[in-house]
Amino acid sequence: MRTWLVVLISLGLVASAHGQDTRTVTEPHQPPSCAVLDAHLHADHGRLSDADEQRLDTTRIQQGIDHCAPGHAVVLRTLGVNQVFLTGPLEMRSGVTLVVDANTVLVGSRNPRVYDLSPGSCGVVNKKGHGCRPLILADQASNSGVMGDGSIDGRGGAMLLGQRVTWWDLAHEAKLRDLNQSVPWIMILRHADNFTLYNITLRNSPGFHVAVNNTNGFTAWGVKIMTPKTARNTDGIDPISSQNVTITHCWIHAGDDNVAVKANGSGPMSHITVAHNHFFTGHGMSIGSETNGGVDHMLVSDLSIDGADNGIRIKSDRSRGGLVTDIRYQDVCMRDVAHPLLFSPMYTMRTGNLLPEYRDITLSDVTIQGSGRSTIDGLDEQHRLALTLDNVFAFDQQRSRWEASHAAITVGPRRGNLLPSGDDVQLTDAPGATSAHALDCTGRFPQFPSLATAPEMASAAPAVDKTLYVAADGSGDYFSIQQALDAAPADGALLQVAPGTYREILTVLKPNVTLRGAGSGPAATVVINDHSAGANGGTTHSATVNILADNFLAENITFANDFNRTHSQQTEGSQAVALLVKGDRAIFHKVRMLGNQDTLYAGSRNCNPDGASCTPARQYFSDCYIEGNVDFIFGDGKTVFDRCEIHSTPHHGGFVTAQSKHYPEEDSGYVLNECRLTGDRSETGDVYLGRPWRPYSTVIYLHTWMGAQIDPAGWREWSPGKTNSLDTAFYAEFDSSGPGGSPKARDPHTHLLTAQQAEQYAPMRFLAGADNWDPRAILAARSGDATSDSQR
C-alpha cells in the first residue's frame, strides 16, 4: 500500500510539475535511534497528579536532542503504565528527529511561566500578544523532523496551573476585548529546510499547530490534527513564505484554517502540493490573509472537505495583498460547507496600497454537496479575479447563495453547472466547451481515524459561542457586519463588533438581533456610508443602517451618513439618513447617530400611501447622541428619546423633528424626556423644535433642557402660507428649561402641559402597548441593574 502511495505522488509531480513542489516526495521513514527515553509519568483518565504536574521532562528530552548525531532520532516510549512525557519548550537540532512512539504522549506544561519570552509575557491577554515560546521550535534546524504513531498534546482546554482559565479561554477573552492572547503554539519552524512531519498526531494546541516560516522543503505526511471546532485560532498547518512544501495523506480537524498558505514581507510562497488529504471542521483550504510576498505554483488535489466553515478560500486585503497566481484545485469533494468557495480581496476593511490580485486560478473536477454561500470577487476593474471553472458542479443551488464581482470567469473546457454572475462579471466559455458529468464523491467522506495509538489528555472543548464576532481587521469571525447579519440564524443573534470603521450598508431583516460595539465608547465603532436621496432613489433609500425587523437592540456604536463630507448640502437631494428604523420594540442605548438633513428616520410599517392605516412601531432611544440640522428626527414611529443629547449642526436654521402622524387615530408620536438640545446659535441660526411633516404630527418634550439656538416660538408650519398643519398637530411641552425653554413665547398652538397631563407621556407608559413592553427593564436585566423606575 505504501509503495502505491509513493508512485501516486510521483505521478502527480510529473503531470503538473509547473504548479507544485519541485522535489520528488516519497513516504518518509523513521531514522535509527540515538537515544530511547522511557516515560516516567502516568495519566489517570488523561490527568496527571498535582505532584506530577511539577515533574518536567524538558531537560532530559532536550539533552537527548542536543547530543544526538545527525541522521538519528530521539525516541520517546511508554514503559509499563507510564506513557506521558511532560515538557516545556524544546528546540530541534539539525539532522535530528524526535519520535513519539505508539501509545506515548508528549504533553505541554500548563504553567505559562515556562513559555515566557519575557517575564510574565505568556498566558496573558493584551494588545501585543505573541509572548510565548512554542512547545517545539526548529530554528535553523535543517533535515530534522517529528515522527511517530503517538501524540503531542498542547492541552488547550486544560486549566492553567494556579488559575481558573484555559489557554482557549484566553483566546475567547481576547476576542471579547478585541485584544490578542499570548499562548504557545505546538510547533514553529524557521529556516528549517527539509523538515519532516510523519504520522504524528497533534492534539488540542493552545494556538496554531504548525507554522512553517522561510523554509525550503517541508513535508507533512500522514499527520493527524484533532482539535475542537470551537477552539479559536487553532490553525492546522500554515506554510509561510516558504518553498517546496508537500502536505499529503493528512487528516485535519481544527478550529481555524485547516491549511493556510501565506506570504508576508519576508518572501514569496511557491511550489506547494496539498494532495490526498481529508479536512473536517475548520476554515478550509486557505491562501492568505498575508499575500504581499506573492503566492504561486500551488496544486491542491484529491481533497475532501466535510463540515467545514469554508472550503476553498483565498483571502487578503489592501494592507497586505499581493499577486496570487498559478493556483490549481482539482479532484475536490465538499459536503455541508457553509462557504464552499470564498475568494475575497476585502478580507478586512484595512486600507493601504498592497493590493490583492488573483490570476490564473483554476478549479477542475470540483463537486459541492449541500447548500452554502459562496463569494467570487476581484478587487476592482483593474484587478479582476481571473478564474477558470472546469467541470465544477454545485448541487442544491436553490438554497445556496452565489455572489460575484470584478471577475473574469472562463467555463470549461468541461462545462459544469456553476455559472456565477454579478456586478462586473465576465463569463466566457472555453473554446470547444462541452457538457460534463460531476465528479463522483461517493465514498470520499471517511470518518476521522480512531487514533488508537495516540493518547489524549483531559481537555474541555470551549462551549459553542452563539455570539457572532465582527472585526474590521479580520480578527473576528466576520470582517463585515452585514456578512454576520446574513449568517445569523433566522431567529436572531448577538453581534459583537470590534472597534473600527465599517463602511457598508446594513439591513436587518431578522428579529431578535443585538448589535453591540466592543469599544470603550460608541465613537470607537462606526458604521458609515454616504448614500443620498438624490443619488439613491429617495430619502428612505439613503440610509446607512436599516432596521426592518422587530426586537432589535443596538448599543455602544455609531451610525453615520457622511454624504456632506464630499457634497454641499442643497435644498433637494441632500437628505442622507444614518439610521432608518421601522421595526417594533427596537432599543438604542448609547448610540451616536451622525448626519445633517434627515439623520434619523423613526417610523412605522405597512403604511398605505394615503396614510389610511399603519402598523405601529415602538422605538426607545436612551443615552444617545443625535445630530443634524433639517428635520433630522423624522417619521411616524411611536418613539421615546430618553436622556439623549440632540445636537443641531451648522446651517441657516433648522428643525429638530418632523413627525408624520397621518390621521388622528394613528398610534404614533415622539416623546423627548430629560433630553438636552444643544448647538451654537451663531452657526445654526434659529432652530425649531419641530414642524409637521403630516397633518397630525405629534411631539412632546418633557423635562428637557433647550439651548439658545431654539427659536422662542418653538414650532413652525411645514410650509408657511401654504400649509395649515399646526391647527391639527399636537405639540406639547412640560418643564422645559434652559435659554430656549420659553413657554410664554411659544406659538399659540403649543400645549403647555400640567404635571398630571404629562404623566400619560411618561416613557414606559407611552410605549407599553398591549404587551406591556418595558425597554428600561430589558436594559436593566441585561446589564444586571435591578433598579428601574419603569414609569419615570
Side-chain angles (χ1 to χ4, degrees):
M1 182 66 176
R2 288 181 176 177
T3 302
W4 179 84
L5 293 174
V6 172
V7 172
L8 184 60
I9 288 289
S10 299
L11 287 174
L13 287 166
V14 172
S16 303
H18 69 283
Q20 59 183 42
D21 194 334
T22 62
R23 303 172 300 158
T24 300
V25 178
T26 58
E27 184 172 6
H29 63 276
Q30 181 176 317
S33 61
C34 62
V36 178
L37 306 180
D38 292 330
H40 294 165
L41 304 177
H42 170 69
D44 186 15
H45 296 95
R47 290 180 170 83
L48 294 171
S49 68
D50 291 345
D52 284 349
E53 285 286 0
Q54 309 299 324
R55 298 175 59 193
L56 294 178
D57 293 299
T58 311
T59 300
R60 68 181 181 121
I61 298 173
Q62 189 63 61
Q63 287 178 346
I65 293 171
D66 292 345
H67 294 95
C68 190
H72 291 74
V74 174
V75 179
L76 310 182
R77 70 179 184 185
T78 293
L79 179 64
V81 297
N82 297 330
Q83 77 278 50
V84 177
F85 289 81
L86 178 64
T87 187
L90 299 169
E91 295 186 11
M92 301 301 300
R93 303 295 181 225
S94 290
V96 177
T97 297
L98 179 65
V99 174
V100 184
D101 206 3
N103 305 310
T104 306
V105 55
L106 178 64
V107 175
S109 171
R110 295 190 284 125
N111 182 3
R113 299 289 69 79
V114 305
Y115 302 99
D116 280 343
L117 280 171
S118 59
S121 65
C122 187
V124 297
V125 173
N126 55 30
K127 287 188 176 181
K128 184 178 180 181
H130 302 290
C132 303
R133 298 163 63 195
L135 192 64
I136 298 174
L137 173 65
D139 191 357
Q140 306 286 344
S142 59
N143 301 302
S144 57
V146 176
M147 301 182 179
D149 292 321
S151 62
I152 301 175
D153 196 321
R155 296 201 287 181
M159 291 290 179
L160 304 185
L161 294 182
Q163 302 183 48
R164 297 203 56 79
V165 296
T166 70
W167 297 115
W168 292 336
D169 289 338
L170 297 179
H172 184 66
E173 179 187 348
K175 193 173 191 177
L176 291 174
R177 298 172 57 194
D178 191 37
L179 296 171
N180 294 297
Q181 71 274 22
S182 286
V183 299
W185 298 359
I186 283 184
M187 200 175 304
I188 294 180
L189 318 181
R190 301 192 196 106
H191 303 282
D193 295 350
N194 298 315
F195 191 95
T196 301
L197 290 178
Y198 178 49
N199 278 357
I200 193 72
T201 295
L202 307 178
R203 291 185 183 272
N204 299 325
S205 180
F208 288 13
H209 289 79
V210 182
V212 185
N213 299 272
N214 305 104
T215 291
N216 189 345
F218 169 79
T219 301
W221 187 304
V223 175
K224 278 80 67 179
I225 294 176
M226 172 51 76
T227 290
K229 176 181 180 178
T230 53
R232 181 174 181 252
N233 295 147
T234 53
D235 287 29
I237 302 175
D238 286 11
I240 305 163
S241 293
S242 297
Q243 293 76 48
N244 295 313
V245 169
T246 289
I247 301 170
T248 186
H249 299 93
C250 295
W251 305 70
I252 303 178
H253 184 295
D256 209 306
D257 291 316
N258 301 78
V259 169
V261 175
K262 308 177 184 182
N264 56 34
S266 66
M269 182 77 220
S270 62
H271 298 289
I272 311 109
T273 297
V274 181
H276 316 299
N277 297 294
H278 300 287
F279 293 173
F280 298 85
T281 68
H283 293 178
M285 178 64 236
S286 297
I287 296 176
S289 56
E290 296 89 347
T291 60
N292 49 302
V295 180
D296 60 82
H297 293 86
M298 185 172 88
L299 173 66
V300 177
S301 66
D302 185 19
L303 173 64
S304 72
I305 306 177
D306 192 6
D309 293 334
N310 304 305
I312 295 170
R313 176 165 74 154
I314 305 178
K315 53 178 178 173
S316 195
D317 60 46
R318 293 174 179 268
S319 72
R320 49 189 163 178
L323 179 61
V324 178
T325 187
D326 195 1
I327 311 296
R328 183 178 181 85
Y329 305 88
Q330 66 182 33
D331 192 17
V332 178
C333 292
M334 288 183 259
R335 180 174 71 177
D336 298 332
V337 174
H339 302 93
L341 305 179
L342 185 54
F343 303 124
S344 173
M346 295 296 291
Y347 176 62
T348 78
M349 295 186 176
R350 290 177 178 173
T351 59
N353 56 10
L354 298 176
L355 305 184
E357 185 170 7
Y358 309 150
R359 296 200 312 237
D360 193 16
I361 314 297
T362 300
L363 275 62
S364 178
D365 293 313
V366 175
T367 291
I368 302 167
Q369 297 181 1
S371 61
R373 176 180 178 178
S374 290
T375 301
I376 302 173
D377 287 345
L379 182 64
D380 52 33
E381 291 183 4
Q382 288 72 43
H383 305 87
R384 294 178 184 273
L385 165 64
L387 175 67
T388 297
L389 301 176
D390 178 27
N391 198 34
V392 178
F393 277 82
F395 297 99
D396 202 3
Q397 289 202 54
Q398 277 192 333
R399 294 193 301 131
S400 297
R401 182 171 176 178
W402 299 89
E403 299 173 351
S405 67
H406 306 304
I409 301 174
T410 301
V411 179
R414 295 168 300 158
R415 187 182 180 92
N417 74 342
L418 180 57
L419 305 172
S421 61
D423 181 31
D424 191 27
V425 173
Q426 300 172 355
L427 196 63
T428 307
D429 277 342
T434 59
S435 59
H437 298 286
L439 173 69
D440 186 1
C441 291
T442 304
R444 292 287 297 274
F445 300 104
Q447 296 292 315
F448 199 93
S450 64
L451 307 180
T453 66
E456 179 180 14
M457 299 297 288
S459 186
V464 175
D465 186 356
K466 296 183 179 180
T467 301
L468 305 182
Y469 295 91
V470 183
D473 65 1
S475 61
D477 301 321
Y478 306 90
F479 71 88
S480 155
I481 300 172
Q482 187 61 52
Q483 186 184 44
L485 288 168
D486 291 343
D491 58 351
L494 166 62
L495 279 64
Q496 179 147 310
V497 185
T501 299
Y502 300 81
R503 185 164 285 277
E504 55 181 322
I505 300 294
L506 304 186
T507 302
V508 178
L509 299 172
K510 300 169 183 176
N512 310 310
V513 167
T514 294
L515 192 62
R516 181 180 298 158
S520 58
T525 307
V526 180
V527 185
I528 190 168
N529 220 297
D530 61 356
H531 286 189
S532 70
N536 297 94
T539 301
T540 57
H541 295 285
S542 69
T544 300
V545 178
N546 302 268
I547 310 303
L548 306 179
D550 295 341
N551 300 318
F552 176 83
L553 190 153
E555 59 183 333
N556 201 41
I557 196 167
T558 295
F559 302 142
N561 191 314
D562 65 346
F563 172 74
N564 290 138
R565 177 177 57 88
T566 54
H567 299 79
S568 61
Q569 188 171 341
Q570 304 295 323
T571 305
E572 297 293 335
S574 290
Q575 297 91 339
V577 178
L579 170 64
L580 179 148
V581 53
K582 292 185 176 182
D584 190 29
R585 298 183 299 275
I587 299 174
F588 301 84
H589 181 59
K590 295 185 178 179
V591 175
R592 296 163 76 233
M593 286 143 277
L594 311 182
N596 282 314
Q597 184 171 359
D598 293 3
T599 303
L600 167 62
Y601 179 88
S604 293
R605 298 171 295 176
N606 306 323
C607 289
N608 294 336
D610 60 358
S613 64
C614 290
T615 302
R618 294 161 292 173
Q619 298 109 19
Y620 178 66
F621 294 79
S622 69
D623 301 291
C624 291
Y625 174 88
I626 307 165
E627 72 171 28
N629 49 48
V630 176
D631 304 334
F632 63 97
I633 302 175
F634 72 111
D636 59 352
K638 188 172 186 179
T639 310
V640 166
F641 301 89
D642 207 4
R643 304 181 305 277
C644 295
E645 179 179 356
I646 316 294
H647 183 74
S648 293
T649 59
H651 195 254
H652 45 82
F655 305 89
V656 175
T657 67
Q659 210 276 340
S660 57
K661 183 172 178 177
H662 300 82
Y663 56 96
E665 296 79 15
E666 182 183 339
D667 191 13
S668 75
Y670 292 166
V671 171
L672 293 88
N673 180 64
E674 295 185 15
C675 293
R676 291 178 58 84
L677 308 186
T678 62
D680 185 340
R681 186 183 180 87
S682 67
E683 296 179 340
T684 65
D686 292 334
V687 176
Y688 291 87
L689 299 176
R691 60 174 176 168
W693 186 20
R694 294 291 183 265
Y696 296 93
S697 177
T698 297
V699 181
I700 301 98
Y701 286 86
L702 305 176
H703 314 290
T704 293
W705 184 92
M706 302 177 181
Q709 78 281 2
I710 299 301
D711 188 281
W715 313 91
R716 206 202 75 173
E717 185 58 67
W718 179 260
S719 182
K722 296 182 180 179
T723 58
N724 298 292
S725 295
L726 283 178
D727 293 339
T728 51
F730 182 81
Y731 288 152
E733 296 178 58
F734 174 71
D735 192 28
S736 297
S737 61
S742 308
K744 293 182 180 180
R746 289 292 188 253
D747 181 279
H749 295 90
T750 306
H751 298 264
L752 300 177
L753 304 177
T754 66
Q756 184 176 3
Q757 290 171 328
E759 285 182 4
Q760 64 182 305
Y761 302 108
M764 297 306 99
R765 182 175 299 172
F766 183 72
L767 292 174
D771 55 2
N772 291 313
W773 184 55
D774 187 344
R776 282 183 184 163
I778 292 170
L779 288 173
R782 59 152 301 284
S783 65
D785 177 8
T787 61
S788 173
D789 178 5
S790 64
Q791 294 300 317
R792 179 170 59 86

